[in-house]
Amino acid sequence: MKKIKEYRIRANLSQGQLAEKISVKQSAVSQWERGYAYPEINTAKKISDVLNMPFEQIYDCQSREGFFDLPVYSVIRCTGECILSTKEGSLLKVAEQELEMLLPREEIKRRGLSPESKVKVDPSWFFGLYSESPALNNQVLPRSVNIIYRTDNLYETHIHLVSIDGNDAVFTRLTKGESGIVAIMDNDPVQCRVFHKSEIDSGSFRIHGVLVQSKRSYLY
């Protein structure tokens, strides 16, 4: 995240000036530059535009001999703010080929990916989320790093990472209903709720991404 500071200085902007341009608090910029948190994806796009900064450098997704280092978070706030994990090592090494296989099928077509296409998987589309205990049956392993594909779309075949009513993100299954989105909590089937468009627009319900793989790591 030190790259943000480097590009901010190049742009001759203070932390406060950058914060004003992308509509966040100065303290948020400070946390990013010190590596204590990561911006949400829409804010990262603004940073990239304002600082003329390559998007993938914001999330420190470096490529090394066919492998990418994905940031691993411990908490995703309802605002989309990402808190970096304090466990030993904060990056998850994943092969480029593995990311290609993990990309949801719906996204392959949307992004124009194919064997003949020159378009490649971007590691900034993914991040890791550390979980101490299972949230949904056996698809989320205990003490695991869960690879999340960044999206605010609903894919009924996937477990989603969502924030509800201003709370930190949790895993849940979702399905589309006639009057909105119904969140189905597997660990408590009674807790079903319909979210109307107005609630989604206001941020009461927010999708941060979908789970594409839950894996054990020697570092965690």
Side-chain angles (χ1 to χ4, degrees), residues 39-107:
E40 65 166 318
I41 192 164
N42 289 332
T43 302
K45 290 174 182 176
K46 293 178 183 179
I47 294 171
S48 178
D49 291 339
V50 170
L51 300 183
N52 193 26
M53 178 180 182
F55 184 82
E56 65 275 7
Q57 291 194 22
I58 295 174
Y59 291 103
D60 298 333
C61 297
Q62 302 300 315
S63 176
R64 298 199 311 271
E65 299 177 0
F67 285 83
F68 293 110
D69 289 331
L70 302 184
V72 177
Y73 309 125
S74 57
V75 177
I76 308 292
R77 302 297 186 197
C78 62
T79 58
E81 178 187 6
C82 306
I83 308 301
L84 205 62
S85 172
T86 56
K87 294 286 183 180
E88 182 185 352
S90 58
L91 298 173
L92 181 66
K93 191 173 183 179
V94 182
E96 185 174 358
Q97 186 177 13
E98 183 177 358
L99 288 185
E100 291 177 358
M101 295 174 62
L102 293 177
L103 192 70
R105 290 183 180 180
E106 299 91 335
E107 290 295 289

Side-chain angles (χ1 to χ4, degrees), residues 22 37-38 54 62 75 81 89 108 122 137 151 155 162 200 217 220:
I22 59 177
Y38 278 70
Q62 302 300 315
V75 177
E81 178 187 6
I108 293 175
D122 189 327
N137 51 60
T151 181
Y155 299 125
V162 304
I200 298 170
S217 170
Y220 290 85

Side-chain angles (χ1 to χ4, degrees), residues 156-213:
E156 294 191 81
T157 58
H158 288 274
I159 291 175
H160 295 70
L161 187 65
V162 304
S163 291
I164 299 174
D165 296 332
N167 294 310
D168 293 342
V170 295
F171 288 115
T172 186
R173 290 185 181 279
L174 302 177
T175 184
K176 294 178 182 178
E178 292 183 3
S179 56
I181 294 176
V182 181
I184 302 178
M185 308 296 187
D186 281 22
N187 53 344
D188 190 354
V190 179
Q191 297 296 319
C192 296
R193 175 174 165 183
V194 176
F195 290 87
H196 298 274
K197 187 177 185 301
S198 60
E199 292 179 283
I200 298 170
D201 292 342
S202 68
S204 295
F205 176 85
R206 184 170 185 173
I207 300 174
H208 300 283
V210 294
L211 175 67
V212 291
Q213 187 180 72

Side-chain angles (χ1 to χ4, degrees), residues 17-35:
Q17 289 171 325
L18 174 58
E20 185 176 355
K21 285 180 178 292
I22 59 177
S23 302
V24 300
K25 294 181 179 180
Q26 182 272 331
S27 58
V29 176
S30 176
Q31 284 190 313
W32 302 336
E33 292 187 354
R34 290 183 293 165

Side-chain angles (χ1 to χ4, degrees), residues 105-121:
R105 290 183 180 180
E106 299 91 335
E107 290 295 289
I108 293 175
K109 183 176 180 180
R110 188 179 77 83
R111 292 186 177 275
L113 295 167
S114 68
E116 299 78 24
S117 172
K118 294 183 179 180
V119 179
K120 291 188 176 182
V121 171

Side-chain angles (χ1 to χ4, degrees), residues 136-155:
L136 291 176
N137 51 60
N138 60 357
Q139 290 185 271
V140 180
L141 300 173
R143 293 177 297 281
S144 63
V145 175
N146 303 284
I147 300 180
I148 311 297
Y149 173 69
R150 300 177 192 271
T151 181
D152 56 4
N153 294 325
L154 189 156
Y155 299 125

